[in-house]
Amino acid sequence: MVELAPSILSADFARLADEVQAAERGGGTLIHVDVMDGHFVPNITLGPPVVKSLRKVTRLPLDCHLMIENADEFIPAFADAGADWVSVHYEACTHLHRTLELIAQHGMKPAVVLNPATRVNFLVEILPMVHHVLVMSVNPGFGGQSFIPNSLNKIRRLVELRAEMGLNYRIEVDGGVAHGTIAQVVEAGADLLVAGNAVFGDGKAERNARKLLQAARKAAGEPLRPAKGTKKVGLRRPAGRSTKG
Ligand code: DX5
Ligand code: ZN
């Protein structure tokens, strides 16, 4: 099933709880949280304290995209704050295998992110370790940029590799996903769709999320509304994860 991950980067941070809940009513099933450090990317956003606050206002999984150096240092704090999925950049992690292990050891779902200039084939050795691969379809750092078309080839290559290697990781796409691009992204094989500006850009998150999800489901050949009785995605803390804080 395709899923929409509204990215709060474009939300009104002064009304974050309302914004997240509106996106959830519109059908978002993950909340994408962009963490930027001003070093790996030329922007600064938020960290574990905001994740901890978000944890109190939504049961949806918090999909934390770390655009930071020294990710290992911060992984315990994200786990304590209530992060569920954590993705780290191939380009920012010298010891990527260790970092992915660390994320999993903290009870979170590990994922790797690729910048637009990074080849998919570099991931072959660690693909068996990841819950999903995040393909950046813009250069990371800012919302509201234009989709880079070559990202579609990278999604297709990840679909091929998944079959060749007998794996089941999911494929997430982030950057410039909007009404004009979402169908192509889904047709190429992505099933986790991050959208920031297209959801939160005009203050109408519920309506925007609903429309985007409908377009994605149509492109995927899925029913436009989930079958009656479909359970809402809930959040359960994986066993063994620290719950303090
Ligand atoms: C960019 C972030 C994205 C961003 C996408 O570095 O990783 O998650 O919010 O924004 P849009 O959907 O506006 O391109
Ligand atoms: Zn992101």
Side-chain angles (χ1 to χ4, degrees):
M1 291 282 278
V2 290
E3 292 190 60
L4 183 69
S7 164
I8 60 166
L9 184 61
S10 294
D12 178 351
F13 276 39
R15 304 175 42 248
L16 205 45
D18 291 348
E19 292 268 70
V20 163
Q21 285 158 3
E24 185 171 345
R25 286 194 302 276
T29 46
L30 294 167
I31 299 299
H32 186 82
V33 180
D34 287 307
V35 179
M36 305 187 188
D37 66 354
H39 292 273
F40 177 61
V41 288
N43 199 359
I44 299 175
T45 54
L46 53 87
V50 176
V51 172
K52 189 174 167 185
S53 296
L54 283 168
R55 184 67 296 149
K56 295 177 191 154
V57 300
T58 181
R59 292 173 60 80
L60 296 183
L62 299 175
D63 168 26
C64 296
H65 172 193
L66 305 191
M67 287 160 272
I68 63 174
E69 292 174 0
N70 304 322
D72 294 16
E73 241 179 79
F74 297 95
I75 283 163
F78 279 99
D80 285 348
D84 299 279
W85 298 8
V86 169
S87 53
V88 292
H89 272 258
Y90 173 86
E91 304 83 6
C93 297
T94 310
H95 305 290
L96 179 59
H97 184 281
R98 176 187 291 149
T99 304
L100 293 170
E101 274 188 336
L102 197 61
I103 296 168
Q105 281 162 8
H106 282 80
M108 301 178 290
K109 307 259 192 239
V112 64
V113 194
L114 286 184
N115 275 342
T118 307
R119 293 189 66 190
V120 169
N121 286 2
F122 290 143
L123 298 186
V124 166
E125 309 300 336
I126 52 86
L127 283 176
M129 303 174 71
V130 299
H131 170 262
H132 62 284
V133 177
L134 172 50
V135 174
M136 285 309 300
S137 39
V138 297
N139 287 294
F142 303 95
Q145 303 181 78
S146 302
F147 184 84
I148 298 173
N150 184 54
S151 314
L152 299 172
N153 292 327
K154 295 173 77 173
I155 298 168
R156 292 183 194 111
R157 178 71 189 129
L158 281 164
V159 171
E160 270 173 24
L161 274 175
R162 183 169 57 193
E164 280 169 23
M165 296 176 72
L167 298 172
N168 60 6
Y169 54 79
R170 300 185 71 182
I171 303 173
E172 185 172 37
V173 179
D174 184 8
V177 174
H179 287 285
T181 51
I182 200 163
Q184 298 169 71
V185 164
V186 170
E187 282 159 12
D191 64 350
L192 299 169
L193 309 162
V194 178
N197 197 49
V199 171
F200 295 109
D202 62 1
K204 294 175 182 154
E206 179 177 350
R207 190 198 66 174
N208 294 336
R210 186 169 291 123
K211 284 189 168 176
L212 279 170
L213 197 54
Q214 283 193 350
R217 286 186 177 142
K218 194 172 163 202
E222 293 175 7
L224 294 192
R225 287 181 212 299
K228 270 195 182 155
T230 303
K231 265 197 179 167
K232 246 188 149 180
V233 177
L235 189 156
R236 244 165 242 263
R237 287 180 180 279
R241 191 171 75 187
S242 166
T243 52
K244 72 173 181 259

